Amino acid sequence: GRVDTARIATLIKQERADIVALQEVDKGVRRTALRDLTAELAAATGMTGIFSNNFHYQGGEYGNAVLTRFPVKSWTNHHYQMLRPNEQRGILELVLDVRGCEVVFMNTHIDSRPDDAERWLNVGEMEQLTAKCSDRPVILCGDFNNLPAGRVYERLSQTFQDTWAKVGAGNGFSFPANGANRRIDYIWFTRPEALKPLKAWLPQSEASDHLPLVAEFELR
């Protein structure tokens, strides 16, 4: 119910996160007093912040962001195709130097309408991006607005592995934060021979309208 970057930063530090995927991020938008929320969080956590604009809103920009403790070798924001007029969405792709190894980290937030046609189209675009990174492990995070029973989940499972299904305990419900009753937030990964999930958990928090989904990996 309120914008509180200090509360979010405290949570990030408590969880000792090395990489953070953030969605619905404002920069210079009137509703958040023209603040640069990514820069505030980066300063408060001592991490590098990368913001990607998906569309202009209230005089500013709105999109996804990533915070990371690892050196960023490159980053690109890809806008998804749209089937119908609505919010422009995108996927933020970073190449990180994790102790001398390249890891591709992607952050996204896809369509929320009951009809999954646009989400289905977006998964095809994720597949294309991931195919270009077949020589490196990929971590894909975000709000997919899709339940595990949906066809979008099944299609994603053909390219990626679901971290929660591998090492999470319980139902994995992350939304809404107050009384979570559905699983729509995911951490996917590729190349399990190089990237091994150790555990995944959902800290209780009021820092967002979603519970934070956290996972720990071992890079082999």
Side-chain angles (χ1 to χ4, degrees):
R2 57 193 171 93
V3 178
D4 189 345
T5 52
R7 179 170 59 176
I8 297 170
T10 297
L11 174 67
I12 290 169
K13 289 186 286 188
Q14 284 176 348
E15 297 303 320
R16 300 173 61 231
D18 295 306
I19 319 171
V20 184
L22 303 163
Q23 300 88 40
E24 300 185 356
V25 182
D26 283 357
K27 181 179 180 180
V29 176
R30 285 193 294 276
R31 68 179 172 191
T32 43
L34 309 182
R35 294 159 60 186
D36 184 341
L37 302 186
T38 306
E40 289 183 23
L41 288 168
T45 58
M47 304 171 83
T48 299
I50 302 292
F51 169 80
S52 61
N53 178 41
N54 287 330
F55 70 93
H56 294 280
Y57 183 71
Q58 290 188 359
E61 300 172 304
Y62 176 79
N64 300 314
V66 169
L67 303 174
T68 177
R69 300 193 188 284
F70 300 115
V72 179
K73 299 188 74 171
S74 63
W75 70 271
T76 311
N77 188 45
H78 310 272
H79 283 171
Y80 289 126
Q81 298 179 61
M82 298 174 66
L83 295 178
R84 299 153 293 189
N86 196 30
E87 175 185 327
Q88 174 66 63
R89 296 177 183 267
I91 181 167
L92 176 57
E93 176 187 358
L94 289 78
V95 178
L96 302 176
D97 180 352
V98 182
R99 301 187 177 93
C101 298
E102 284 192 359
V103 174
V104 179
F105 187 82
M106 299 182 186
N107 175 25
T108 195
H109 181 195
I110 58 177
D111 189 58
S112 61
R113 286 172 287 197
D115 175 1
D116 71 358
E118 198 153 301
R119 290 191 291 280
W120 185 260
L121 178 67
N122 296 159
V123 173
E125 295 172 271
M126 295 175 206
E127 292 167 347
Q128 292 172 10
L129 289 174
T130 304
K132 297 176 183 177
C133 309
S134 59
D135 59 332
R136 292 163 291 175
V138 174
I139 299 174
L140 168 64
C141 301
D143 177 353
F144 287 77
N145 280 310
N146 189 82
L147 301 175
R151 66 170 185 160
V152 169
Y153 178 94
E154 290 302 320
R155 184 172 175 181
L156 282 162
S157 299
Q158 295 173 21
T159 300
F160 303 93
Q161 300 206 25
D162 176 2
T163 302
W164 190 268
K166 294 291 183 185
V167 295
N171 55 36
F173 291 169
S174 58
F175 182 82
N178 184 11
N181 59 15
R182 71 199 82 162
R183 185 156 88 98
I184 59 175
D185 299 295
Y186 301 91
I187 300 175
W188 300 92
F189 70 99
T190 66
R191 300 204 51 193
E193 75 282 1
L195 200 62
K196 178 184 178 181
L198 302 179
K199 59 181 179 177
W201 64 99
L202 287 159
Q204 294 301 304
S205 171
E206 294 182 343
S208 169
D209 61 332
H210 292 239
L211 293 177
L213 172 59
V214 190
E216 182 177 347
F217 289 91
E218 175 184 273
L219 183 61
R220 295 176 168 181

